[in-house]
Structure formats: structure tokens, C-alpha cells
Amino acid sequence: MWMEKCKDVDCFMSGLIKRNAGQPEFHQAVREFAATVIPFIRDNPTYLENQILERMTEPDRVVTFRVTWRDDKGSIRVNRAWRVQFNNSIGPYKGGLRFHPTVTLSVLKFLGFEQTFKNSLTGLPMGGGKGGANFNPKGKSDNEVMSFCQSMMTELFHHIGPDKDVPAGDIGVGAREISYLYGQYKRLQNQFHGVLTGKGLSFGGSLIRTEATGYGCVYFCQEMLNHRGDSLENKNVVISGSGNVATYAAEKATELGAKVLTLSDSSGFIHDPDGIGPEKLEFVKELKEVRRGRISEYTDRFSSATFHADQRPWAVDCDVAIPCATQNEVNLDDAKKLTGNNVMAVCEGANMPTELDAMNHLMQAGALFGPAKAANAGGVAVSGLEQSQNALRLSWSREEVNEKLLGIMKNIHAKCVQYGETGQLPNDNVNYVTGANIAGFIKVADAMVAYGAV
Ligand code: NDP
Ligand code: 2IT
């Protein structure tokens, strides 16, 4: 067994890297997880005897396929798409689809791996999966996006189903894309059931699903601060991204009394020292969702703000930072800028936005650190609630769903406190990374042990 001859994370990782060459994002996600879970496994030999970590880091299966479609000029275009079905030990595969030119198998494996433990933390019966394509929706017409989505679903529908695998949105996949994908699924399968989440409200979608990731992340952040006898009230908050997660994180943070100073996209960030309040956020939502414009246009409309091309917002003085754009958007230099300004809390809205050394720096410097698999689990949690509503053929009210979301985020926080040992970080901070990893691990691992050698 590997742990008999191979006693530490580096040794485990050297095998994993060999088996998964050229997949740096996947290596990074596993390394963070293994570093906290290996000591726990050592104390619980059943997991060791059952080779649970080796099995958990190998996806159940990966489907790769070609997507051929026609652009508006009539030219044939080709993209590559994947569905990574990572682990269905505790429920049907569940996780988003990402459309972005940077999508690779490595990115989707890191996301599918993380999703497995995130979904476990929600307490709902969902396994982990992720998919997507190296398709760039930017600058494409609605017709081209529809053509791509229909072609992608023509292959994907063979592999998904309400009890098998239930995709949803992620970067580049929002209400428009889910609608086109669902329309094609329904046509091919001739069945109307909850096979995708994030659907429109008139065809099985759940209230609050759009808001859920951003709201949930801010609920989690509020829990971390409350646990230390503080709150978001009057805090300066810096947010990156200006998509689904970022805008609703900004909305909830403002509602809880914080002042949101920044938003960004891949071209740069805007800084509004007056705060990005509700009216300004409505402008951003319309800009990004309807007009599909750039965040720099914010400064044309609001003279209180400045635009900083090709920069990230982490040097702006703040109490709380919520990265909501993409992976590896906070490096060690950024983390030092944040701690230089005495940041109190960093809460990950995006998946793996913080590089490993940056994460360690933030925690060692005394900042509260809410890792993605705990902090951004609100989105998939409400997806799980959407599946429940579809299965029951009913819809819950906004208040009901929001109440359940808040309860789930509080519960995830409590699990992190239970397993995240205190006494090792400054300020007696909870180690939320350890807490989330171990709490997420146990449920999946116990199911795998019970199943035997499968
Ligand atoms: P959107 O597509 O709605 O928005 C993405 C935002 O991030 C845009 O502002 C985009 O800018 C920016 N961005 C994307 N890629 C890059 C990049 N390579 N460099 C700089 N900026 C970039 O996606 P979401 O808001 O849904 O997702 C954001 C993050 O949250 C992702 O990490 C996703 O995995 C995670 N997440 C999403 C959930 C959901 O329910 N949607 C649930 C849990 C996590 P631009 O327009 O210039 O590309
Ligand atoms: O990363 C994520 O958790 C998501 N993109 C949401 C997945 C989902 O199935 O709602």
C-alpha cells in the first residue's frame, strides 16, 4: 500500500503527478486536499486499508467528444467538450458546465474533484462531476451559442439523466445556455424532468438559484466573522469578477451593511470608493447579462469610479476580500498586499481562486480563510433543492429557498468548525481548509468503504 512505503504528501503527489502528467490545476487541487486529509487517514486505518485516497483521486469516468457547429457565416467550427464524472458514491453526479477558451481536462478534473467534497458538505445526496468545452461565447451571437449548445447536447444527452448526472452552469454558462441545452435535451429524450439545474422559472427552475452562490458565499463569510464576534456591518469589501457569483455576492454584502469597492473582468477592475450600491449593481447586471459589455463601461456611467486596466483589485485597502472570477487569481504577491492592508477575511466565491502559497500566507498572517468548497457551496446546494422540487413537482417560495440556503451555509460552517482544529493558527482561528476537507471527505469515504472494492 502506498502509505506503507510512501509516508507523506510529496510522495503521494509524485505518483499522482506521474499518472496525470500535464494537469497542473488537478495536481494543485489534490495537493491541498491531500495535505490535510493524509494525517486524518493515518489516524483512521480503515481508509488506508481501503486505498480510499487513491480511489478518490481517480475519476469514475471521463467522456471526451467533438462538438461541430455552424457560425453565422455558414462556416463549420469545431470544439472539444468533456464531462468528468468524478464520484457518485453519495448521489448522482452533479456539477456545472464551463464554456471558456482556457477549459482543459486538467481544469475540469480539478473542478470535478473539488465538487465531490463540496457537494458532500451540503448534506444533500449529490455526487461530483464537471464538464464544459473550450468554446468562447464572447462575441458570439445568440444564434451561434444556440447552435453550439444544441450540438453539444446531442452528444451529452447520452451520458446524463436525473438519476445519473445533472449538469448546471459555471463560467460562460448562464440562463441562456442552460435554456438552449435543456430545450435540446427535452427534444432528444422526449421527457421533461430535472436533468439540468439553473433552469428558467417557467420550466422547472428554482427561485434563488441565480443568487445562490453569491448569497451563500456572503452568508458563509458572515458566519466566519460572527464566530469571531464580528460582522460584515461597515466593512470594506473587495470583489473580483462581475459575473453571476460576483454580482450577487456584492448584492448580499451590501444588504448586510458592507461597502463593496470593486468589481472586475478579464480586462481589469473598477474601484468605486463611494460603494457599489443596489442601483449601480442593477446597471452592472444589465451590462453583463443583457448587453454582454465590459466592466470598464461602469466608469462612463459613474464618475465616482476609476478603471484599472489589466490589474486585479487586491491592492485596494479592504477588510474582506471575495474573489469571484476564476482559479489562481490571488497569488502570493496579491496575498501580501491584502495582509499588508490588514485584511480580516478572504472568502472564496470562485473555485480555487487562491494559489497554495497565497492561501498559507493569508492563514499564517491571521486572516480568516473560507475555502471554495465550503464558501461557494450555496450554488450547488440550491441546485440540489431545484432537483428536489422537480422530483416533487412543486416549487418553493423565495423565502423558503433562501431560508434553506442560509441553514445549509450555517451547517457547513459548523462542520468546518468541528473538524478544523483550532490552536494552530494565529488569533485561535479555525482552520477552515482542514475542516472543509475532512468533513467533506468522511461522508464520501464511508460510502466507498461500505461499497467494497468498486
Ligand atoms: P460568469 O461567467 O458569470 O462570470 C465570470 C467572471 O469572471 C467574469 O467577470 C469574467 O470576466 C471573469 N473571468 C472569467 N475567467 C477569467 C479569467 N481567466 N481571468 C480573469 N477574469 C476572468 O461565471 P460565474 O460567476 O458563474 O463563475 C465565477 C467563479 O465562481 C468560477 O470560478 C466558478 O467556477 C465559480 N462558481 C460558480 C458557481 C455558479 O453557480 N455559477 C457556483 C460555485 C462556484 P470576462 O467576462 O472578462 O471573462
Ligand atoms: O462550481 C459549482 O459548484 C457550480 N458551478 C455549480 C454547480 C451546480 O450543479 O449547481
Side-chain angles (χ1 to χ4, degrees), residues 94-96 115 118 130 166 168-170 197 209 351 376 379-380 383:
K94 180 82 197 89
Q115 196 81 45
K118 181 195 306 193
K130 199 85 188 189
V166 183
D170 193 78
T197 59
R209 174 62 190 89
N351 283 307
N376 75 27
V380 75
S383 279

Side-chain angles (χ1 to χ4, degrees), residues 414-434:
K415 285 186 201 166
C416 292
V417 172
Q418 184 183 349
Y419 291 101
E421 74 264 352
T422 45
Q424 293 186 0
L425 293 176
N427 307 328
D428 229 10
N429 281 348
V430 173
N431 190 329
Y432 287 94
V433 175
T434 304

Side-chain angles (χ1 to χ4, degrees), residues 16 19-20 23 26 30 52-64 82-89 93 105-106 108-114 116-117 128-130 448 454:
L16 183 120
R19 292 190 296 279
N20 300 277
Q23 299 182 354
F26 181 54
V30 174
I52 292 298
L53 194 57
E54 290 210 326
R55 286 157 65 186
M56 260 182 188
T57 47
E58 198 62 54
D60 290 353
R61 74 185 61 73
V62 178
V63 186
T64 311
W82 296 264
R83 186 70 184 166
V84 178
Q85 297 183 329
F86 219 103
N87 190 307
N88 69 351
S89 298
Y93 304 107
L105 180 57
S106 171
L108 296 177
K109 279 175 70 178
F110 115 65
L111 288 163
F113 179 73
E114 291 275 298
T116 303
F117 307 103
K130 199 85 188 189
M448 290 176 79
V454 291

Side-chain angles (χ1 to χ4, degrees), residues 28 35 70 92 210 278 280-281 295 300 304-305 332 365 410 427 453:
Q28 183 184 340
R70 239 181 236 286
T210 309
K280 292 170 174 173
L281 262 185
I295 198 66
D300 302 338
S304 50
L332 184 58
K410 285 186 177 207
N427 307 328

